[in-house]
Amino acid sequence: MANVNIQELLDNGVHFGHLTRKWNPNMAPYIYTERNGVHIIDLYKTAAKIEETSEALKKIANSGRKILFVATKKQAKDIVAEKAKAVSMPFITERWPGGMLTNFVTIRKAVKKMALIDRMKTDGSFDALSKREKLQINRQREKLEKNLGSISDMTRLPGALFIVDIKKEHIAVAEAQKLNIPIFAMVDTNSDPRQVDYVIPANDDASKSIDIVLSFVTNAVAEGLSDRKADKEKVKEAPKKEEAKVEAPKAEAEVEAPVKEEATDAPAEEKK
């Protein structure tokens, strides 16, 4: 896992917090100083937290569980969608569906409804509907795709949540806390870090800051997935090696057999 470069964080504005009058006192341990009425985040602590978070997410990815990325704010949604897709993880970048975690069974029914509409279009039953019914179903399909399309492959609750701006995504935070799902998040100086299991103190408003932090995080997830794939291949190869070891002694026995026959024939010739 790559080490976090402080200069790189500085160049991308990760250190800029909120106005001092909007701060949350619980963020005090992560604040370095104040400049022109704005809090400056301690990037050495940010770097340490990124590495700690990345290591934990790598283990979760390696275990085969999904990590749900959540960011509905304008400057973060496209970045999160791109990064999450790159590592095949689910994400929410539109409105957070109420009960997404606490009422997961109902959400899964909505996803199945989307799959049913797709099946209707392939088996021809969709063509038998009236023009009005087709229009209604297409609208329903578009709405489901917009809100739930990115989680269509998530068949069970995620192993963790990664959130950009816990203040904006407070409903997601509350649901994860209720179900004891670990929360990883970028936390700015106006938020309460006590709500999060793994805090990354960082500017969660600038797109450059979000991009650089997400890059470190998703690279760690990709490593976890890669290690998992390598472990599976080793398990598949193990039985083949065992079979090869079992066959080896049989071959030696076949070679030895003719030698023993020659040895028994020799005394017979001497008797003659």
Side-chain angles (χ1 to χ4, degrees), residues 76-114:
K77 60 197 301 184
D78 292 338
I79 296 166
V80 168
E82 181 190 342
K83 301 287 184 185
K85 278 179 186 175
V87 290
S88 305
M89 289 295 170
F91 57 92
I92 297 288
T93 54
E94 296 301 325
R95 183 183 64 84
W96 174 267
M100 167 71 208
L101 301 176
T102 53
N103 198 13
F104 188 67
V105 175
T106 304
I107 297 295
R108 281 302 302 163
K109 283 180 182 176
V111 172
K112 286 177 182 177
K113 176 71 176 176
M114 192 165 60

Side-chain angles (χ1 to χ4, degrees), residues 164-219:
V164 177
D165 194 344
I166 59 171
K167 204 163 188 179
K168 184 173 177 60
E169 313 301 342
H170 63 277
I171 300 172
V173 172
E175 289 191 28
Q177 286 175 335
K178 193 171 182 179
L179 297 172
N180 294 320
I181 296 172
I183 302 170
F184 298 74
M186 287 180 68
V187 183
D188 213 328
T189 57
N190 67 332
S191 302
D192 187 354
R194 295 176 301 176
Q195 298 178 348
V196 178
D197 298 290
Y198 290 84
V199 178
I200 298 178
N203 178 0
D204 62 13
D205 292 312
S207 56
K208 281 186 176 181
S209 172
I210 295 165
D211 190 281
I212 189 68
V213 172
L214 261 291
S215 294
F216 286 119
V217 167
T218 51
N219 284 345

Side-chain angles (χ1 to χ4, degrees), residues 58-92:
K58 181 180 175 181
K59 288 178 182 177
I60 291 171
N62 187 263
S63 70
R65 289 174 293 168
K66 294 287 185 182
I67 299 157
L68 178 62
F69 288 80
V70 184
T72 59
K73 64 199 305 180
K74 188 179 178 182
Q75 58 270 49
K77 60 197 301 184
D78 292 338
I79 296 166
V80 168
E82 181 190 342
K83 301 287 184 185
K85 278 179 186 175
V87 290
S88 305
M89 289 295 170
F91 57 92
I92 297 288

Side-chain angles (χ1 to χ4, degrees), residues 11 15 39 43-44 66 68 71 78 82 143-144 225:
D11 293 342
H15 59 296
H39 276 130
L43 289 182
Y44 285 98
K66 294 287 185 182
L68 178 62
D78 292 338
E82 181 190 342
K143 188 177 179 181
L144 289 169
L225 293 172

